[in-house]
Amino acid sequence: MEAYVARLVRAGVAGLGFGVTPVHETVPPGLAEACAEYGLPLVEVPPGTPFTAVARTVWRLMAEARTRELRRVTEAQQSLAAAAARPDPVPAALSRLAASLGGWAALWGPGAEPGAGGGTPGAAAGAGGAGVA
């Protein structure tokens, strides 16, 4: 089971649905353990659940996630546009960009020194965040 789950994870599978019955009454413990070890979400699909119901649910959840991401990107773009229209646009835009990314952003000048920045580089790096230059 471990090799199977490892292959799924390497292939980029986001989760595994296991239909119980007629072969298995429950999810095999080895499969559950392997999924837990590799961090692959495992869902036990009850007997009698049509595949189309599972597919519809997955597509609905994907559409909702896509809508949330589009909304987040649109809000970030609007926020950056508003910051760019301020009297001192560079620091305002960098600050908004850093807030949108949850990290930091900097504008580097010709002398390889930051000309302006937003956010806190040390805090973002310590939290595993990435910077934008």
Side-chain angles (χ1 to χ4, degrees):
M1 298 280 180
E2 185 173 337
Y4 173 65
V5 171
R7 283 194 312 272
L8 292 176
V9 170
R10 280 195 305 274
V13 170
L16 177 61
F18 188 89
V20 293
T21 68
V23 177
H24 298 277
E25 292 301 315
T26 62
V27 173
L31 180 59
E33 291 164 8
C35 285
E37 179 181 333
Y38 283 88
L40 182 66
L42 175 63
V43 177
E44 182 177 310
V45 180
T49 303
F51 180 77
T52 55
V54 174
R56 272 194 310 270
T57 300
V58 168
W59 286 113
R60 180 182 54 79
L61 292 171
M62 289 174 64
E64 288 171 4
R66 207 171 24 252
T67 299
R68 280 191 306 274
E69 179 63 11
L70 285 172
R71 191 171 292 128
R72 186 190 70 78
V73 168
T74 300
E75 289 169 358
Q77 187 275 334
Q78 290 171 342
S79 175
L80 286 170
R86 295 182 62 172
D88 197 6
V90 173
L94 288 171
S95 181
R96 284 304 323 141
L97 179 60
S100 293
L101 295 173
W104 62 276
L107 176 63
W108 292 87
E113 294 294 323
T120 306
V132 174

